Amino acid sequence: MCLAIPAKITQIEDGRLATVDILGVTRSISVDLTPQAGAGDYVLVHAGFAIEVVDEQFALETIDLIRQFPDLVGEDLGVSEEQIAVAGA
């Protein structure tokens, strides 16, 4: 199953790369598909690319749903169910 997961951009780097926070995990992603994205924005991330800028309310609601089903994203992100639970605290 493929999921796009909301992430908050913490930094835009050279080469149109961004550092994002996904459930407390930091990753580097490409923002080539979302050139309007900036630090502080929430984006949907799929396969290492930001594919859409989304509003904060949508992102936070989606993150809350993800926390209810940690087995859906744990392996894809390389995080444990405990880390997802802690990120929700």
Side-chain angles (χ1 to χ4, degrees):
M1 172 176 23
C2 296
L3 293 175
I5 299 175
K8 185 174 185 176
I9 296 176
T10 58
Q11 181 179 351
I12 298 288
E13 304 166 12
D14 291 337
R16 298 302 299 161
L17 293 178
T19 301
V20 295
D21 180 292
I22 305 173
L23 297 167
V25 176
T26 303
R27 293 279 189 254
S28 183
I29 64 162
S30 171
V31 288
D32 284 337
L33 302 175
T34 55
Q36 73 277 23
D41 287 339
Y42 283 87
V43 292
L44 291 180
V45 177
H46 176 71
F49 287 86
I51 59 172
E52 182 178 354
V53 177
V54 295
D55 68 44
E56 182 177 10
Q57 181 179 349
F58 172 83
L60 295 176
E61 288 173 1
T62 304
I63 289 167
D64 285 340
L65 287 172
I66 290 169
R67 286 190 184 112
Q68 294 176 31
F69 301 97
D71 55 320
L72 292 178
V73 295
E75 291 179 15
D76 292 338
L77 292 178
V79 296
S80 68
E81 290 183 25
E82 290 174 1
Q83 288 172 300
I84 292 171
V86 169

